[in-house]
Amino acid sequence: MLRTFAMAGALVICIIGAAYSEDSSIPDLKDPKVISAGRELYLEKHCSHCHGMSGDGGVNLMHRDLSNPNYLFEAIADGRESGSLRMPAWREVLSEAQIWQVTAYVMSINGRTN
Ligand code: HEC
């Protein structure tokens, strides 16, 4: 009997947890799975072409303060310009979930979040 209650309780907690995490569209940016999905996109969509394999290339991402995920999301979604260099807006190319994944990857290589 007690076990049944305990299991029902656990189930309720699971359901509440799932509903809550579905509500917030920001994934866990420290989740290795999110980061590695982001890494694949980063290579596949040629972010590495301008920013280098690990963010240390032409348009260097290493020594900036990239600790604000919302800022990064917007920069990637809307695109950025620096002198004659332009980063296209990725909103049309990547889904919101994918932009969060590359955001997680950028934060992981930037190294300021750990
Ligand atoms: C055509 C070259 C190019 C490509 C491809 C590119 N970027 Fe950029 N990116 C830039 C430029 C230029 C800037 C503006 C740099 C600045 O403001 O100093 C920038 C800025 C950024 C910033 C903001 C940096 C800051 O400090 O404001 C992030 C984050 C970023 N890029 C990530 C990405 C990701 C992720 C991808 C792939 C989905 C990508 N970039 C693809 C050229 C590129």
Side-chain angles (χ1 to χ4, degrees), residues 1 7 13 18 21 25 31 59 64 76 79 113:
M1 194 60 187
M7 282 179 53
I13 290 168
S21 63
S25 54
D31 182 341
V59 183
R64 304 168 184 237
I76 296 166
T113 50

Side-chain angles (χ1 to χ4, degrees), residues 1-58:
M1 194 60 187
L2 252 178
R3 263 180 88 194
T4 315
F5 272 129
M7 282 179 53
L11 193 66
V12 167
I13 290 168
C14 283
I15 291 167
I16 292 171
Y20 180 76
S21 63
E22 242 171 39
D23 239 18
S24 63
S25 54
I26 306 183
D28 179 0
L29 300 175
K30 297 210 168 145
D31 182 341
K33 273 187 259 150
V34 175
I35 294 173
S36 77
R39 180 172 192 275
E40 269 171 40
L41 283 168
Y42 185 91
L43 301 176
E44 189 184 308
K45 302 294 176 192
H46 308 294
C47 313
S48 49
H49 198 80
C50 293
H51 295 294
M53 284 290 279
S54 21
D56 55 353

Side-chain angles (χ1 to χ4, degrees), residues 42 51 54-57 59-64 66 106 109-110:
Y42 185 91
H51 295 294
S54 21
D56 55 353
V59 183
N60 202 303
L61 295 176
M62 290 308 278
H63 303 294
R64 304 168 184 237
L66 301 179
V106 166
I109 55 181
N110 182 249

